[in-house]
Amino acid sequence: MRAVQPRERGLARRERWPLYAAGLLAETRFVLALTAVAFLMAVVAKAVF
Amino acid sequence: MLLRPRLEDHLVIGKYTGKIIIGVGLLMVVPLLTSVVLAEWDTVLDFVISVAACLIFGFSTQLLCRTERDLSWSHGMVVASGSWIVATVLGALPHWLSGHAGSYLDAMFDVMSGYTTTGLYLLQDLDHISHGLNMWRHLLTYAGGQGIVVVALTFLFKGAAGAYTAYVGEGKDERLLPNVIQTARAIWFVSLTWLAVGTAALAVTGMVLGQEPLRAVLHGLWVFMGAWSTGGFAPQSYNTLYYHSLGYELVTIVIMIAGSFNFALHWAVWTGNRKELLKNVETISFAVTLSFTVLIATFALAKAGVYPDAMALFRKVFYQLVSGHTTTGFSSIYVRAFVTQWGPIGLMATTMAMAIGASACSTGGGIKGIRMGVISKALLQDIRRAISPERAVITAKIHHIKDVALGDGVVRSAMLITIAYLSLYGLTAIVGTLHGYDFLQSAFEGVSAASNTGLSCGVTSPSMPSVMKVLYILAMWLGRLEFMSVFALGGHLLSMVRGRG
């Protein structure tokens, strides 16, 4: 009897998706951290001037 | 000594250029279908003509240039740079046929701006162009961001060993996976995943803002393409100022910055190496230079009292600077506000951010973070060497996916490309000034074109002199391909005339 071939292959294999999602979230967190720094700069600048 | 190219050289260049143009023709099917679905019959006709022109060109070259030879290094460089010119000439057909472009040169300007992910445009009455043409504009930037050679590599090149040279010629030189075609597919995989997530986020935000579902999805898709590709095209003439929404701004900031990352960095982070974000020379360089330029602009505008509160100051400054630094070109202020409100310091901070630009092997342009990192490290290394004992061995390394020793060759290469960019920035600024524009404004606009950013302070317009339109087209092309493949094309043309055979 022939073995059943997995339907998903390559880059889009199902077991990889949690890793991809974690990577995407890590990138988003990095951007939001830079955004928070910029907001703090604006608060300080407005407090100074 | 220059050697005159042989017939076989022309055949191999023609064959692969034709393949890329077939790719461009197939890409036009997407806006064609969009117009069919939305019953925009005039636009349908425009795209039928344009698709036919691309396919006739592409298949004719396949017939005329039959050869079994694979691309050599110089062929790949010539194909990469030459195909962008042919793709621009043929890709301009829908713009020109739409009647929204003042001339064919204007149409070519917009298409080169799209492919190179610049975002400057000369199209007139943007708010009333068809959905099909809007789809084409944004698809240009999305495909151009990945690279039109990458598009062809992904779908049309099967196992061509020389394909790597065309890939490098397009300004990308990293292999995410061992095989270049797998690398091209990985780049598309990352981009398409972000496309799904980003479009959904923007569409939901649009619906919350009151857009109808179809409009919210189309705007979400187009704005995503503009942000991710760091292209900066938007469906409305007011760009992202049109939405007047903090939510829309935050989502696009995330997409712009993610789009400006090196694809090798994306792949490392997505395959588990998340600490790479904090160690990579490009992300560190980006964080430092972005924070520095934001700091300058924030304090200058706070002192000038342009914005009433900290939130308004943060929203306007951070958005324009992120847009400039990632070389996207989205704008949430009026075009002339750069001159009338931001003043010289604001203009200079934004110009500096645009000049430095995004990461290498990304969708963005500019000098690139990795070169800034290399040059800074080399400078520090020289200072350490100067103050250390004569016998001390001073070494330096940079971290990009792995530690790389900072050799003279790496520094020289970074310096050469940086000097080439600075020369191009200078040339565009001087030509603008010679045509009567204020120096700071022409420097801003010239850097914006050459770094493929697309922010405008009002210089770029249909009434701009044709010389400047042509110069900006060349600057966008040179900046996007990072010079070398364009120089190779120049050398190829020169050898046809003056080479010895």
Side-chain angles (χ1 to χ4, degrees), chain B residues 357-380:
Chain B
S359 298
C361 195
S362 71
T363 63
I367 291 170
K368 309 274 163 41
I370 196 159
R371 295 195 182 100
M372 297 303 294
V374 165
I375 293 168
S376 312
K377 283 265 185 176
L379 191 66
L380 285 176

Side-chain angles (χ1 to χ4, degrees), chain B residues 31-70:
Chain B
L32 171 63
L33 292 176
T34 306
S35 291
V36 169
V37 170
L38 298 171
E40 298 170 334
W41 302 116
D42 287 347
T43 312
V44 168
L45 187 61
D46 296 346
F47 277 103
V48 168
I49 294 168
S50 308
V51 171
C54 288
L55 295 184
I56 288 169
F57 178 92
F59 285 113
S60 303
T61 51
Q62 300 302 290
L63 279 175
L64 292 170
C65 304
R66 270 182 289 191
T67 174
E68 293 305 312
R69 266 184 77 180
D70 199 2

Side-chain angles (χ1 to χ4, degrees), chain B residues 307-322:
Chain B
Y307 298 112
D309 54 56
M311 180 52 95
L313 181 66
F314 155 73
R315 278 178 66 178
K316 297 302 178 187
V317 171
F318 191 57
Y319 198 82
Q320 310 330 300
L321 266 295
V322 164

Side-chain angles (χ1 to χ4, degrees), chain A residues 11-12 17 19-20 22-24 26-28 30-32 34-35 38-39 41-46 49, chain B residues 185-186 189 193-194 254 257 261 266-267 269-271 274 277 291 295 298-299 302-303 307 310 314 318:
Chain A
L11 302 173
W17 281 99
L19 207 55
Y20 294 155
L24 200 144
E27 291 176 346
T28 306
F30 178 81
V31 176
L32 293 178
L34 287 176
T35 310
F39 181 67
M41 283 183 202
V43 171
V44 172
K46 268 291 167 189
F49 297 106
Chain B
R185 287 179 184 154
F189 180 76
T193 306
W194 263 103
V254 172
I257 294 182
F261 285 162
H266 279 297
W267 198 243
V269 173
W270 282 36
T271 48
R274 288 190 282 281
L277 269 172
S291 302
L295 187 76
T298 301
F299 276 82
K303 189 167 187 293
Y307 298 112
F314 155 73
F318 191 57

Side-chain angles (χ1 to χ4, degrees), chain B residues 97-143:
Chain B
L97 292 170
S98 74
H100 285 271
S103 65
Y104 207 81
L105 180 64
D106 288 9
M108 281 173 53
F109 183 100
D110 277 38
V111 171
M112 183 58 95
S113 177
Y115 282 137
T116 57
T117 72
T118 305
L120 292 170
Y121 71 93
L122 300 174
L123 218 55
Q124 296 171 26
D125 198 15
L126 183 66
D127 297 325
H128 297 103
I129 66 173
S130 63
H131 290 92
L133 188 58
N134 245 330
M135 182 64 87
W136 178 229
R137 293 173 69 233
H138 291 88
L139 204 56
L140 279 174
T141 66
Y142 189 62

